Amino acid sequence: MGLGMMLGAHLTPRALGRIEQADVVFVAVSDPLVEQWVQGMHPDVRSLQPLYAEGKSRHDTYREMAAMMLAEVRAGKRVCGVFYGHPGVFAQAPHRAVAMAREEGFEASMEPGVSAEDCLYADLGIDPGEFGCQHYEASQLMFYRRRLDTSAYLVIWQPGVAGDRSYRRFSTPASHRKLLVDLLAVDYPLDHECTIYEAATLPIQTPRIERTSLGSLADARLDAQSTLVLPPCKPLRRNEALLERLAAIDSPA
Ligand code: SAM
């Protein structure tokens, strides 16, 4: 289940019910305060956070997270995995755990939560339906050939580890980010606006909304919780051919 982004603010009654009904609760949240909050909800809360380590592949970490949860499922326990945000958004371990449990014949489901994406729309005043909105993980965007639609919003997740081929780093340097900038500069002008966004995770915080230019991004501070947002740089273009076909259907000669 997903805790949402802000401590105490986004937990749904259904998600809380999942925690209360579980025999064992596993928790993977980056903020120790949030983990402490979850610890107070159930007598048997086990942290998955120590499975992360600099130099260790994140793929191994995610595999181990799923394996730890599955071991308790096989032992006959009702298991709840608690993740910050939405457990199914840019998060491998929850999807893996649910799929593994189902493959082995156990009942498993995912309870959605408020993700960084949801907070982003609210804090930045963006409606993804206005121009469309594409979401990419920074490294995947760099490693694979994609076609960006510059008439839609572009949201880039995990820019703090952009270009990490090892999946072992907690951050990557400006040299890596410079390659991301070069890639984006194929489609966007270097003076195009780029917002560094960090949703508030405590009620006393305000979100980080730092507007910079694409050209300045390589040297900007990007942390584990940063997400990038680029507005469209081109207007929407009408698909005249399709509109004509629709017109022909709507008013046949
Ligand atoms: N499951 C999470 C969710 O629902 O938002 C996303 C987890 S993903 C592994 C981590 C990435 O989410 C970060 O690199 C960043 O792009 C984004 N993220 C995490 N915390 C954030 C925050 N407080 N504000 C904005 N983006 C955040």
Side-chain angles (χ1 to χ4, degrees):
M1 53 75 71
L3 273 186
M5 299 304 291
M6 185 183 282
L7 188 150
H10 297 161
L11 182 65
T12 66
R14 273 175 71 98
L16 180 60
R18 294 289 185 100
I19 296 179
E20 289 170 346
Q21 286 152 20
D23 298 314
V24 190
V25 175
F26 288 94
V27 60
V29 293
S30 45
D31 188 324
L33 266 181
V34 177
E35 184 169 316
Q36 228 178 319
W37 174 50
V38 177
Q39 295 280 357
M41 295 180 199
H42 192 278
D44 187 356
V45 176
R46 306 177 193 177
S47 179
L48 294 168
Q49 212 57 26
L51 296 175
Y52 284 105
E54 180 96 48
K56 173 180 175 182
S57 165
R58 284 193 291 282
H59 292 308
D60 289 341
T61 298
Y62 301 145
R63 261 192 293 274
E64 287 170 16
M65 284 181 174
M68 275 178 74
M69 291 189 275
L70 257 292
E72 293 299 330
V73 172
R74 289 180 201 118
K77 305 261 181 68
R78 277 173 306 182
V79 176
C80 177
V82 175
F83 296 81
Y84 80 87
H86 186 305
V89 172
F90 289 82
Q92 286 180 23
H95 281 297
R96 180 189 289 269
V98 167
M100 280 171 70
R102 285 180 181 160
E103 262 168 42
E104 294 181 26
F106 299 103
E107 206 181 299
S109 61
M110 186 179 277
E111 193 63 44
V114 173
S115 73
E117 176 184 355
D118 299 308
C119 298
L120 181 155
Y121 296 140
D123 287 334
L124 301 185
I126 288 174
D127 180 347
E130 191 179 5
F131 301 115
C133 188
Q134 49 210 322
H135 290 257
Y136 290 102
E137 197 275 329
S139 294
Q140 191 192 65
L141 184 60
M142 294 168 78
F143 300 162
Y144 297 90
R145 291 169 186 273
R146 315 304 298 251
R147 287 173 61 189
L148 297 179
D149 179 351
T150 56
S151 60
Y153 283 100
L154 172 63
V155 180
I156 302 181
W157 295 68
Q158 306 202 126
V161 286
D164 173 23
R165 289 179 305 140
S166 68
Y167 298 98
R168 290 171 195 272
R169 300 187 186 193
F170 284 168
S171 66
T172 46
S175 52
H176 286 59
R177 236 172 289 146
K178 173 77 173 60
L179 294 184
L180 175 63
V181 170
D182 289 351
L183 178 73
L184 293 173
V186 173
D187 294 298
Y188 295 87
L190 281 173
D191 63 356
H192 191 63
E193 181 184 288
C194 178
T195 300
I196 302 168
Y197 173 70
E198 292 172 12
T201 53
L202 300 175
I204 49 158
Q205 290 174 337
T206 49
R208 178 181 173 204
I209 301 174
E210 197 177 313
R211 297 188 203 278
T212 183
S213 66
L214 177 59
S216 310
L217 193 60
D219 296 315
R221 178 169 63 84
L222 291 180
D223 299 318
Q225 68 275 20
S226 305
T227 298
L228 301 177
V229 184
L230 278 74
C233 72
K234 296 237 171 82
L236 289 169
R237 285 175 54 214
R238 287 167 64 87
N239 185 340
E240 297 297 353
L242 198 118
L243 284 164
E244 271 171 32
R245 287 176 66 190
L246 278 174
I249 296 169
D250 289 340
S251 37

